[in-house]
Amino acid sequence: MPSLFRHVSRALQGIVAASLIAGAVGPAMAQSPQVLRVTAIPDESPTELARKFAPLGKYLEKELGVKVEWTPVTDYAAAVEAVVNKKIELAWFGGFTFVQANVRSGGKIVPLVQREEDEKFRSVFITDAKSGIHKLEDLKGKTLSFGSASSTSGHLMPRSFLLAAKINPDTDLKRISFSGAHDATVAAVASGKVDAGALNISVWEKLVAEKKVDTGAVKVFFTTPAYYDYNWSVHADLPAAFKEKLKAAFLKLNAATPEGKEILDLQRATKFVPTQPENYAGIKAAAENAGLLK
């Protein structure tokens, strides 16, 4: 009996040890979340971001069978930290903020899907139609507004193309400023606060279509070459099955259905496609070259 007792005791100790190890690894994202917390970099006004997300949130609730909670953040850095620290499960990132989050997390933040448009995204430089600015070189000695300092299409890539044209924004321009958002950059140029601005082509085209900008007064004078940009990213610790279900929900969206058309139109997308970290190697290299990745 003592021998049998020892065997049983050791077996029980093994079970307890295994359960403790499982506990140490934690329930942290071992099972599917009951609430999917979602955020986005604030590249437009908070009300516009919430409006754009509302139908998508309802759709994801139905597809995933969990509550979806929209969580706005104050700035780009806050979006990065929220996902890295597992306060948020799903985030709409620009290419640069994705790279920042991926680096900060040691590769634990992964891009899930992107709009088809994000495979060949562009930025535009705009100015007052009467400014006399017709090309990038004309910006020397002028004032320029970027969007957020962490914006891919509103700062990193425009800065990269300026540097490629042998224009250093910090020394060759009279002054640079940061508006914080793409629509705010347009407003700064339209009001005469700055001579020129750089922003996301998608937001520019939306504002033009909605007649919120007078193209007779404000014009595009340079459009950048294409690059990868926005994506929906998740933390790698989410269960694989949940990530696949989430990805499938995005890929299933179809403009041929009323629901799909509403969501895709608001997201300014024709459709969503799978993406991978390697797609953003160019963004990472541009950030490193510009000294913006720490």
Side-chain angles (χ1 to χ4, degrees), residues 39-114:
T39 197
I41 53 171
D43 60 348
E44 294 184 85
S45 69
T47 51
E48 177 63 7
L49 289 176
R51 183 184 76 87
K52 282 168 54 179
F53 180 73
L56 176 58
K58 290 178 183 176
Y59 168 76
L60 291 176
E61 282 190 341
K62 181 179 66 177
E63 290 293 312
L64 302 173
V66 300
K67 182 181 177 184
V68 174
E69 188 176 275
W70 172 249
T71 307
V73 290
T74 54
D75 54 34
Y76 283 49
V80 169
E81 291 305 312
V83 183
V84 169
N85 294 316
K86 302 184 184 181
K87 305 293 184 185
I88 293 291
E89 283 77 40
L90 177 67
W92 173 245
F93 280 145
F96 184 30
T97 34
F98 158 70
V99 167
Q100 288 177 312
N102 184 266
V103 170
R104 277 272 294 107
S105 65
K108 297 287 280 184
I109 304 305
V110 293
L112 204 61
V113 295
Q114 62 188 46

Side-chain angles (χ1 to χ4, degrees), residues 206-236:
K206 184 196 77 164
L207 293 173
V208 170
E210 294 175 350
K211 301 190 184 309
K212 291 182 178 178
V213 58
D214 179 359
T215 52
V218 179
K219 68 170 186 177
V220 171
F221 69 91
F222 181 79
T223 301
T224 71
Y227 55 88
Y228 277 93
D229 201 356
Y230 294 87
N231 65 58
W232 284 102
S233 285
V234 296
H235 200 288

Side-chain angles (χ1 to χ4, degrees), residues 125 135-140 157-169 172-173 221-222 225:
F125 283 79
K135 55 187 186 295
L136 292 180
E137 289 75 11
D138 294 335
L139 287 172
K140 290 185 177 181
M157 297 314 287
R159 177 180 281 271
S160 178
F161 290 117
L162 282 170
L163 292 171
K166 296 187 171 22
I167 301 166
N168 185 330
D172 294 333
L173 274 60
F221 69 91
F222 181 79

Side-chain angles (χ1 to χ4, degrees), residues 16-31:
V16 171
S19 67
L20 286 173
I21 291 169
V25 171
M29 283 189 180
Q31 55 187 9

Side-chain angles (χ1 to χ4, degrees), residues 94-96 115 117-118 120-126 136 144-148 151-162 182 185 197-205 219-230 283:
F96 184 30
R115 299 170 303 186
E117 288 77 1
D118 292 312
K120 294 182 179 179
F121 207 79
R122 293 170 294 162
S123 296
V124 292
F125 283 79
I126 60 172
L136 292 180
L144 172 76
S145 176
F146 291 116
S148 164
S151 172
T152 309
S153 53
H155 179 217
L156 172 61
M157 297 314 287
R159 177 180 281 271
S160 178
F161 290 117
L162 282 170
H182 301 295
T185 297
L199 71 146
N200 170 331
I201 192 171
S202 179
V203 172
W204 169 257
E205 290 176 342
K219 68 170 186 177
V220 171
F221 69 91
F222 181 79
T223 301
T224 71
Y227 55 88
Y228 277 93
D229 201 356
Y230 294 87
I283 297 286

